[in-house]
Amino acid sequence: MQKRNHSRELKLEVVRQVATGQKRPAQACREYGLADSVLSQWRKEYHERGDAAFLPSPSEQANTQEQRIVELERFCGQLALENQVVKKALQSMGSRSAIS
């Protein structure tokens, strides 16, 4: 079975509907195509963290930021290398046109 990623907004909406009694858990699961265990997990997280539920933890956020920094550094290195190649090509073209 493929794991689906649900938006934070959807999770909050479903959990709040169940918490306020607007929908029963079974009804919410049917309507949103969720397993009971998934809804239970969402309700537990919402109960523990409130409105901060479903946000990445600080360690997950730091890891994501570190990965992004590595990606940007790699891209910056690639651009620097491409700049060197272009500069050498322009210098070569300039010296050839000066000779002609």
Side-chain angles (χ1 to χ4, degrees), residues 10 14 30 63-64:
L10 176 74
V14 173
R30 260 192 323 275
N63 190 27
T64 303

Side-chain angles (χ1 to χ4, degrees), residues 23-85:
K23 292 186 181 175
R24 287 193 239 124
Q27 181 184 8
C29 287
R30 260 192 323 275
E31 288 182 16
Y32 293 100
L34 303 171
D36 292 338
S37 60
V38 171
L39 181 57
S40 295
Q41 184 180 3
W42 292 358
R43 291 174 72 189
K44 179 182 176 194
E45 182 171 352
Y46 184 74
H47 179 73
E48 291 173 356
R49 299 180 65 198
D51 287 337
F54 317 119
L55 291 173
S57 67
S59 62
E60 290 173 336
Q61 197 169 13
N63 190 27
T64 303
Q65 289 172 346
E66 288 174 17
Q67 289 174 346
R68 181 72 176 143
I69 289 169
V70 167
E71 179 184 316
L72 291 171
E73 287 176 342
R74 187 178 304 122
F75 183 66
C76 188
Q78 180 182 352
L79 289 176
L81 183 62
E82 289 174 4
N83 274 342
Q84 287 177 344
V85 170

